[in-house]
Amino acid sequence: MKNFRCIALCLVLVGGGTAQTVTVSSSKLGGTDPISGTITFQPALSNGTLASAHLSGGGITSRFATTATVTAGVFSIRVADTSGTNPVNLCYSVSVHTANGLELLGPGFTCVQPAANNYWCTAGICNFDAYLPSVPGLAVIAAGPAGKDGVQGVQGIQGVPGIPGLQ
């Protein structure tokens, strides 16, 4: 029992008591059409440049990607907790590829930041199913008035000279 306590204390001291990594997982990637293939987390700066980082409890991350297999929408992968990296708030460019090479994720997954203090993470587990992609909202375009043949086109913004339908 004495040796067990010593080992436990040594692990806490070596780890510094801080979480350096989080687990990102999903149980339904692809929603009702589950995806199978691979998911890759590539460490990067917010501008997309490949990066490595210093971890909060000591040590350095690699600039090389970490990849996991996705089977019927299920995966689990361990990555650095981005809330404790230097440079601050390291990003991950995340991509998903099917077995035939089709890439499934688009804009909004170029700067994913799994962190223990994030809205989609709890107790060191990040639920990728709850992640909201960081993309700007789309503009609402109202349809024009209905004519005898149906809707006559986009109504647009009224009163802007030089733009058809906006005079």
Side-chain angles (χ1 to χ4, degrees):
M1 186 65 162
K2 188 177 187 182
N3 288 339
F4 176 76
R5 279 188 240 153
C6 179
I7 291 171
L9 178 60
C10 289
L11 288 174
V12 169
L13 291 175
V14 169
T18 58
Q20 293 184 349
T21 61
V22 292
T23 299
V24 180
S25 62
S26 173
S27 61
K28 51 188 169 192
L29 187 62
T32 57
D33 190 16
I35 294 169
S36 290
T38 58
I39 188 164
T40 301
F41 281 72
Q42 173 67 61
L45 303 177
S46 60
N47 66 5
T49 304
L50 299 184
S52 55
H54 183 265
L55 299 172
S56 61
I60 302 290
T61 65
S62 167
R63 70 177 181 91
F64 296 108
T66 303
T67 301
T69 300
V70 181
T71 305
V74 177
F75 78 88
S76 182
I77 192 167
R78 201 147 180 81
V79 296
D81 181 330
T82 60
S83 67
T85 59
N86 187 3
V88 177
N89 297 323
L90 181 73
C91 292
Y92 285 96
S93 178
V94 180
S95 60
V96 174
H97 292 88
T98 61
N100 64 1
L102 180 65
E103 185 167 351
L104 302 176
L105 296 180
F109 295 90
T110 56
C111 188
V112 177
Q113 296 180 306
N117 61 354
N118 225 327
Y119 73 90
W120 54 289
C121 303
T122 305
I125 306 294
C126 297
N127 180 2
F128 200 63
D129 297 327
Y131 173 72
L132 299 174
S134 55
V135 292
L138 300 174
V140 176
I141 299 175
K148 69 177 187 150
D149 296 324
V151 175
Q152 293 184 359
V154 176
Q155 183 173 329
I157 303 169
Q158 300 301 314
V160 179
I163 300 176
L166 305 180
Q167 312 307 331

